[in-house]
Amino acid sequence: EIQDKKRQELAQRLTTQFENLNKTWTNEFAKKLDRFNAMLQKMETRAATAATNGKDVTTANAAIQIARNVVATSQASVTAQATKTYIPDTSALATTAEVTTPKGQEELTKALKAAFKTLHATLFQDLFALRDGPMTIARKAVQDALAALSAVPGVNEKSTSTTPNQ
């Protein structure tokens, strides 16, 4: 309904920018979760090696499993965020004047500006909630798993099943 081409283009650019911001943030979160999964895989390998050497790694294995579950939950949250779209609902824009008049166009522009401002705030509220919630919890869980594995005495020792050359 916006008659000014520049304002139409601006509205399209803003919508595209919101999509790009959401995509960029969620891609970064996904990469970080992939790194967490790789770290957990290495921890599982170290715990298995320590277990074959007779070390008690039950606490470490439990912490690793908890971290795996938290990372999986965080991945679901990131996926849900990635599917969200941030497009203003133009049907909800209330104008008191006819949109074909200059005054009506001005009111429409003000209403659209307010809608984009609200949309911007919602986007960042969602992204910050994801960053400060599930992502932080996942990082903490991986750190706790690493600390539990590090607490096992002799976890870094190599396998003693081979005989040394004399």
Side-chain angles (χ1 to χ4, degrees):
E1 296 178 12
I2 300 174
Q3 294 174 347
D4 186 5
K5 294 292 182 199
K6 287 184 180 180
R7 289 181 180 170
Q8 284 180 349
E9 291 171 4
L10 178 62
Q12 283 296 330
R13 269 197 321 267
L14 285 173
T15 303
T16 303
Q17 285 176 350
F18 289 165
E19 290 173 10
N20 289 340
L21 278 170
N22 192 40
K23 183 179 178 181
T24 300
W25 277 58
T26 54
N27 285 345
E28 286 301 313
F29 290 153
K31 286 179 193 175
K32 191 172 284 192
L33 291 171
D34 288 343
R35 285 194 303 268
F36 289 162
N37 276 325
M39 290 171 65
L40 289 170
Q41 184 64 40
K42 288 179 183 178
M43 285 186 240
E44 286 175 342
T45 303
R46 283 180 59 196
T49 302
T52 58
N53 289 339
K55 308 296 180 191
D56 181 20
V57 291
T58 54
T59 306
N61 283 336
I64 291 169
Q65 188 56 45
I66 289 169
R68 279 235 181 259
N69 293 341
V70 170
V71 168
T73 303
S74 297
Q75 283 176 324
S77 297
V78 169
T79 302
Q81 176 62 38
T83 61
K84 289 184 180 179
T85 56
Y86 293 90
I87 300 172
D89 183 13
T90 54
S91 64
L93 298 178
T95 57
T96 56
E98 185 65 34
V99 293
T100 56
T101 64
K103 182 171 175 62
Q105 281 293 302
E106 189 65 33
E107 286 185 23
L108 179 64
T109 302
K110 285 181 183 178
L112 197 57
K113 184 177 179 179
F116 273 114
K117 192 173 185 176
T118 303
L119 209 55
H120 180 267
T122 303
L123 169 66
F124 278 96
Q125 182 180 9
D126 291 348
L127 291 173
F128 290 163
L130 186 60
R131 179 195 67 189
D132 298 338
M135 292 302 296
T136 301
I137 293 168
R139 183 180 41 110
K140 177 78 170 110
V142 171
Q143 287 173 339
D144 291 346
L146 184 58
L149 184 62
S150 297
V152 175
V155 72
N156 291 323
E157 292 177 6
K158 298 293 180 200
S159 178
T160 57
S161 63
T162 59
T163 57
N165 293 335
Q166 292 193 21

